[in-house]
Amino acid sequence: METYGSDVWEAIGDPTRRAIMACLAGKELAVGELADELPVSRPAVSQHLKVLKNADLVAERTAGTRRIYRLNPAGVAALRDQLETFWSRALTGYQDIAAGRGGHATAGAENQFEEEE
Amino acid sequence: METYGSDVWEAIGDPTRRAIMACLAGKELAVGELADELPVSRPAVSQHLKVLKNADLVAERTAGTRRIYRLNPAGVAALRDQLETFWSRALTGYQDIAAGRGGHATAGAENQFEEEE
DNA sequence: ACGAACGGTAAGTCTAGGCTTACGTTATGC
DNA sequence: GCATAACGTAAGCCTAGACTTACCGTTCGT
């Protein structure tokens, strides 16, 4: 649904962003709290959260002057499905499938992989 | 099994490497053939294949002076499982689980995410 | 045995992007 | 209303790493 998968690869490609997602797994956290648990400054966390939000991987909730961030289950699930589709194709060697349909095999997988630039 | 998950994140983080994996999905290819299908030079492909091989995502087969590369199903499956474990944790919000056991919740997820540097 | 093809490696360049400091903005508490 | 706290944003720096050209080793064909 929606435009998921826009730049999810870039989003989860950075170690700090993965650490942020790990911190948010199961509990909500404000920006400052995240920065306390990570070896980077608060503005750095803020910038990473911006990327994660653009990728629909986190959601925002305002509480007074604080911004509480939380994982977005829908976005995470979408990313999971996207990866799952690829793995299954790669593992089964879907060339066999394409052979039965007479199509060029690589098209689907390429779409799975390079949706950037 | 083995030392999977060493630097898989770095491996799949690059668009060109994902394109290489897409090309190898279902068919074997030599280095030069891969370079023909990609917008980068042959040495670049060679360097990417080195990274992918270190991550156990591809396997090598020598045929004369040519090196035929192929996806490594075991490595791909290992990466898939690693990701799957994380997604499920993130989605279920395993804080509930940790609450029942009295432990600090984030430890498991952090291990899932930052195994580098 | 020699030449050509194939591919890995070295050295160097250049850009993307992650991090920091500094600043502006907004909302709360007194 | 003012001071403060929490955040986002701008500007700038700096390193990782992706790419290229040049070179060398290896293997096959004739």
Side-chain angles (χ1 to χ4, degrees), chain A residues 14-46:
Chain A
D14 181 72
T16 303
R17 280 194 286 270
R18 293 198 297 273
I20 289 178
M21 292 186 67
C23 289
L24 292 179
K27 60 179 173 186
E28 300 180 325
L29 284 175
V31 181
E33 296 170 341
L34 276 170
D36 288 339
E37 301 193 15
L38 295 171
V40 294
S41 69
R42 187 193 49 75
V45 172
S46 218

Side-chain angles (χ1 to χ4, degrees), chain A residues 9 12 15 18-19 22-23 25-27 71 73 76-77 79-80 83-84 87 90-91 93-95 106 109-110 113-114 116, chain B residues 9 12 15 18-19 22 25-27 71 73 76-77 79-80 83-84 87 90-91 93-95 106 109-110 113-114 116:
Chain A
W9 286 107
I12 64 171
R18 293 198 297 273
C23 289
K27 60 179 173 186
L71 280 189
V76 175
L79 174 55
R80 190 186 71 95
L83 292 174
E84 186 60 31
W87 303 136
L91 286 174
Y94 65 97
Q95 197 181 30
T106 49
E110 280 170 5
F113 272 94
E114 26 185 0
E116 47 218 322
Chain B
W9 285 106
I12 64 171
R18 293 198 297 274
K27 61 179 173 186
L71 281 190
V76 175
L79 174 55
R80 188 186 73 94
L83 291 173
E84 186 60 31
W87 303 137
L91 287 174
Y94 64 98
Q95 193 183 31
T106 49
E110 280 171 6
F113 271 93
E114 26 184 0
E116 48 219 321

Side-chain angles (χ1 to χ4, degrees), chain B residues 29-115:
Chain B
L29 283 175
V31 180
E33 295 169 343
L34 276 170
D36 288 339
E37 300 193 17
L38 296 171
V40 295
S41 69
R42 187 191 50 73
V45 173
S46 219
Q47 292 162 7
H48 283 307
L49 286 171
K50 189 179 183 179
V51 175
L52 289 174
K53 181 167 183 173
N54 282 339
D56 276 316
L57 291 175
V58 301
E60 198 180 10
R61 178 170 68 87
T62 301
T65 159
R66 315 196 339 160
R67 247 103 167 198
I68 317 289
Y69 280 86
R70 158 173 162 63
L71 281 190
N72 176 20
V76 175
L79 174 55
R80 188 186 73 94
D81 290 347
Q82 182 179 345
L83 291 173
E84 186 60 31
T85 300
F86 164 70
W87 303 137
S88 58
R89 282 188 181 169
L91 287 174
T92 58
Y94 64 98
Q95 193 183 31
D96 304 343
I97 306 173
R101 297 155 70 234
H104 34 284
T106 49
E110 280 171 6
N111 285 340
Q112 276 295 329
F113 271 93
E114 26 184 0
E115 73 285 348

